[in-house]
Amino acid sequence: MTNETRIAIITGGSRGMGRDAALRLARRGISSIITYNERRDAADNVVSAIREAGADAVALQLDVGKAAGFGDFAAHAREALTTLGAERFDYLVNNAGTSSTATLADGTKAELDAQFAVHFKGPYLLTQTLLPLMNDGGRIVNISSGLARVAFPGRTVYGPMKAAVEALTRYMALELGPRGIAVNVVAPGAIATDFSGGVVRDNPDVNKALASQTALGRVGGPEDVGPVIAGLLSDDFGWVNAQRIEVAGGVQI
Ligand SMILES: NC(=O)c1ccc[n+]([C@@H]2O[C@H](COP(=O)([O-])OP(=O)(O)OC[C@H]3O[C@@H](n4cnc5c(N)ncnc54)[C@H](OP(=O)(O)O)[C@@H]3O)[C@@H](O)[C@H]2O)c1
């Protein structure tokens, strides 16, 4: 690392697991550029919470499904880094995502294209765009899903897209190794957030069914995943590279 102020860029840092990871990093003195897509209010709340935790943050709008905007985003990120007292950043968390409940029978070309744009093309091209701004020796965490390993009804588009991110993680690790950048992928199980209409959190039947398939007997919360993301970015995990870590309480084992 070359700068003293360590900075993370976390896509989808306004809510859910990205928010929790940003707050965990703040408690370790790491500042963040968090992105939001539509919920500026939620992002502003996270920025305030990060400051209360003793670090600093800037919130930037980003639609990870629209790669044409990544050049502008990089320019805004460069300005945000200046605000945070750094020229470059150290950690990238490709976390932002949306769900899809398509089956093989009803999945459309439009849904395939949209999910590909958000879950694969987005992390691929955003990482490519931001790499010149990233310090050598930095770390990347991509976010997959337990549904990349386990087939689940209605996830024929979403699950395979996340599987692609897991493969991409190994290719990123291979190509970024010479810069000392480690790349790992976190695969959360069912997590009680707003994701997919909040179904894991708010639908008691779904929540109970998923808990019953989990060795530790419950679904997860953002507070179960954020520390793992923050941990993987810490020096303690410096020799962990190109790994998939499922954070799911032991689901469908
Ligand atoms: N929750 C689960 O059960 C679960 C399980 C496994 C994996 N995951 C994955 O974990 C990641 C985070 O999920 P979560 O549960 O924390 O989600 P969440 O609570 O729904 O939060 C989603 C975050 O992503 C942002 N976002 C959504 N669409 C975006 C887009 N097109 N461009 C940029 N940002 C966008 C949202 O911004 P706004 O606030 O502006 O809307 C928000 O910050 C996703 O990749 C998801 O696929 C979730």
Side-chain angles (χ1 to χ4, degrees):
M1 301 286 173
T2 51
N3 61 335
E4 281 187 15
T5 312
R6 293 196 184 179
I7 314 270
I9 296 182
I10 303 176
T11 68
S14 50
R15 291 186 285 129
M17 292 179 260
R19 175 185 188 278
D20 194 273
L23 293 177
R24 306 275 168 185
L25 290 171
R27 285 178 211 151
R28 297 174 187 210
I30 295 164
S31 297
S32 289
I33 296 171
I34 60 157
T35 79
Y36 63 96
N37 186 27
E38 294 173 338
R39 294 282 307 275
R40 169 97 220 186
D41 57 329
D44 286 343
N45 287 340
V46 178
V47 169
S48 299
I50 287 172
R51 289 183 181 149
E52 277 166 29
D56 201 358
V58 173
L60 295 178
Q61 197 280 332
L62 172 72
D63 184 342
V64 291
K66 292 188 178 154
F70 290 175
D72 285 346
F73 176 77
H76 292 136
R78 196 174 276 115
E79 290 166 13
L81 286 171
T82 304
T83 303
L84 296 172
E87 288 182 8
R88 291 164 175 267
F89 72 98
D90 307 288
Y91 311 117
L92 175 62
V93 183
N94 284 307
N95 164 73
T98 49
S99 77
S100 156
T101 53
T103 65
L104 192 57
D106 63 20
T108 62
K109 183 177 177 303
E111 189 152 7
L112 277 160
D113 288 344
Q115 286 280 300
F116 176 69
V118 166
H119 288 293
F120 186 81
K121 200 171 160 187
Y124 187 111
L125 291 175
L126 185 67
T127 304
Q128 181 189 75
T129 304
L130 293 177
L131 274 171
L133 274 181
M134 189 171 184
N135 277 319
D136 289 355
R139 302 179 69 80
I140 297 174
V141 171
N142 296 321
I143 303 300
S144 174
S145 166
L147 298 174
R149 175 179 65 81
V150 176
F152 195 82
R155 302 291 180 177
T156 57
V157 180
Y158 177 81
M161 291 301 165
K162 289 300 199 183
V165 165
E166 295 187 1
L168 175 63
T169 298
R170 292 187 286 277
Y171 281 88
M172 284 181 171
L174 182 72
E175 296 201 0
L176 297 179
R179 285 187 54 186
I181 296 172
V183 191
N184 293 290
V185 59
V186 165
I191 307 296
T193 66
D194 296 336
F195 194 74
S196 206
V199 63
V200 172
R201 182 190 55 210
D202 300 335
N203 184 316
D205 294 337
V206 171
N207 186 294
K208 202 172 159 193
L210 291 167
S212 74
Q213 296 166 17
T214 304
L216 291 179
R218 62 171 175 82
V219 303
E223 65 283 0
D224 292 308
V225 183
V228 181
I229 297 171
L232 278 169
L233 297 176
S234 74
D235 294 345
D236 287 347
F237 285 80
W239 200 237
V240 176
N241 192 19
Q243 297 305 302
R244 174 189 194 269
I245 299 179
E246 191 160 304
V247 186
V251 72
Q252 295 197 9
I253 50 178

